[in-house]
């Protein structure tokens, strides 16, 4: 049974940094790409960042490039999202996600992911 548990969210001020984590349990973590998504108030869930199983391929949404960094520690079955220079528009519930199996590419769309964490709230005040 695959489980994803996010942690590390909170309330910060604009310009601050925050790192959120996602602990994965289930099939071999290192074989799976992982993704971070977010859903702001009244908005649809949107892609933030994704990383291949080896960590060699990384993708970001344009709105977070240069500010956010996705990384993973396969020995700890954990994926991270380091968020710097946070803006009020980054306020959202952040979700980590895992695809159902190795796909041969890094998935960037919500429908490509089968497993989701419960989400962690990130609130950025101005």
């Amino acid at each position: 049974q695959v489980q994803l548990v996010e942690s590390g969210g909170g309330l910060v001020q604009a310009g601050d940094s925050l790192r959120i984590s996602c602990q994965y349990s289930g099939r071999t973590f290192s074989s799976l790409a992982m993704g971070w998504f977010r859903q702001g108030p009244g908005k649809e869930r949107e892609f933030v960042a994704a990383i291949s199983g080896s960590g060699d391929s990384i993708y970001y949404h344009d709105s977070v490039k240069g500010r956010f960094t996705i990384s993973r520690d396969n020995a700890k079955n954990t994926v991270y999202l380091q968020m710097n220079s946070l803006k009020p528009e980054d306020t959202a519930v952040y979700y980590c996600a895992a695809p159902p199996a190795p796909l041969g590419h890094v998935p960037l769309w919500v429908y490509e992911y089968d497993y989701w964490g419960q989400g962690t709230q990130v609130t950025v005040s101005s």
Side-chain angles (χ1 to χ4, degrees):
Q1 183 73 12
V2 174
Q3 286 190 319
L4 301 169
V5 179
E6 299 99 337
S7 62
L11 171 64
V12 297
Q13 294 186 332
D16 284 352
S17 298
L18 196 64
R19 188 178 81 160
I20 56 178
S21 304
C22 173
Q23 179 73 44
Y24 171 95
S25 60
R27 66 177 297 155
T28 305
F29 180 68
S30 60
S31 70
L32 293 176
M34 295 291 293
W36 282 101
F37 291 77
R38 66 186 180 187
Q39 189 164 13
K43 298 181 180 180
E44 294 189 354
R45 193 167 299 190
E46 66 174 5
F47 169 75
V48 175
I51 186 169
S52 63
S54 65
D56 290 343
S57 295
I58 289 175
Y59 300 87
Y60 296 101
H61 189 278
D62 285 347
S63 65
V64 306
K65 281 182 182 177
R67 300 188 299 122
F68 289 13
T69 302
I70 187 172
S71 62
R72 65 191 297 157
D73 185 338
N74 286 345
K76 296 182 178 180
N77 283 11
T78 302
V79 61
Y80 305 96
L81 187 68
Q82 176 68 43
M83 304 180 288
N84 298 331
S85 302
L86 282 161
K87 303 175 181 179
E89 51 264 44
D90 295 318
T91 294
V93 178
Y94 283 72
Y95 299 90
C96 69
L103 300 178
H105 66 277
V106 178
L108 306 183
W109 301 97
V110 170
Y111 73 85
E112 296 184 280
Y113 289 87
D114 274 15
Y115 302 106
W116 297 83
Q118 82 286 356
T120 186
Q121 177 70 48
V122 173
T123 303
V124 185
S125 64
S126 58

